[in-house]
Amino acid sequence: MSMKYDPAYISHYYDHYGEQEWNRFDLNPTNKVNFHIHLHYLQSFIRAHDFVLEAGAGAGRFTVELGKIGANIVVGDISRKQLDINETKVHEAGLSGKIIGREQLDIVDLSRFQSESFDKVVCYGGALSYVFDQADHALNELLRVTKKGGYLLLSVMSALGTTRRHLIAELSNHIAHYGKESIHKVIKTGELLGNVANGHHCKMYRWRELEAMLNTHECSIAASSAANFLSPEHEHGLHEIMNQSPELWEQFLQWEIDYCKEPGALDGRTHIIVVVKRE
Ligand SMILES: C[S@@+](CC[C@H](N)C(=O)[O-])C[C@H]1O[C@@H](n2cnc3c(N)ncnc32)[C@H](O)[C@@H]1O
């Protein structure tokens, strides 16, 4: 039985998180790769003049990229604060003209939009991971507002990769603080709740769970990818490459794009990206 979705909790969390949301992709090379792979799929599936709903847009890292591609964008998010930051960042990028609307909304209820309103819908960075027992319903809504033949680009938190990177890396500390039972529960359910979540409640997905859920909807999988795979745990060497050898860094990003698509990599890191075609 999945945890009951609490919209007030998540809007409050992201109101409080504020500007950190804009900066998170720049914290280390792994997060840079994460950004780059998400961008790769935007650039592969979104075209100039597409009418796009970006749901859970947050501070606007991908709103700016959508604007640069030339899409016309309706920006949506459950957090008022994130929408305000989004407005500032898009304005600073000189792309306000690409914004058709900016609305506080919940992906669980998109009834303000008619069916098939958008050429493409983007829901990156895990909004689907925050709606717990309402995920199936939210997916239905995201697909309903996408035109038939159009694409929905999603990413969710990954259970295996996030557990490995954030829980197992400091297993004895975590067990001392939270107890073995709470770590066991995260591993069994993928639900990050209680003290161990450190305030960040979410559902982390295994690829096979996400795939099974998608298979019950009117869509087909067009692409799937981890958001990074090769980046090592100790990022010092990668940091040097990123700052000192732009050509090698570009090559590394290409290797990541290639490897991240492999079935054996999908669960491997913090996020799973999937692009589905609305049937
Ligand atoms: C991790 S941020 C991702 C932001 C951006 N899409 C990105 O990938 O950089 C998640 C965003 O989803 C928003 N969000 C969470 N639950 C949501 C919901 N049910 N409906 C709409 N937005 C939601 C949060 O407020 C937050 O801005």
Side-chain angles (χ1 to χ4, degrees), residues 4 14-15 27 35 66 76 82 85-86 106 113 118 134 146 180 195 200 204 207 216 225 262 269 276:
K4 195 166 162 23
Y14 274 100
D15 281 352
L27 295 178
F35 176 78
L66 284 165
Q82 291 299 324
I85 298 171
N86 186 296
D106 189 332
F113 303 119
F118 299 96
Q134 295 299 307
T146 310
K180 184 168 70 100
N195 290 343
H200 185 229
M204 306 181 295
W207 165 250
T216 64
S225 174
E262 291 297 329
R269 282 301 178 115
V276 296

Side-chain angles (χ1 to χ4, degrees), residues 5 10 14 21 24-25 54 56-58 61-62 77-79 82 105-107 124-125 127 130-131:
Y5 169 47
I10 198 64
Y14 274 100
E21 181 47 36
R24 78 185 164 100
F25 287 114
E54 191 192 9
R61 289 299 290 258
F62 294 111
D77 202 282
I78 201 164
S79 156
Q82 291 299 324
L105 56 73
D106 189 332
I107 56 167
Y124 270 175
Y130 295 121
V131 298

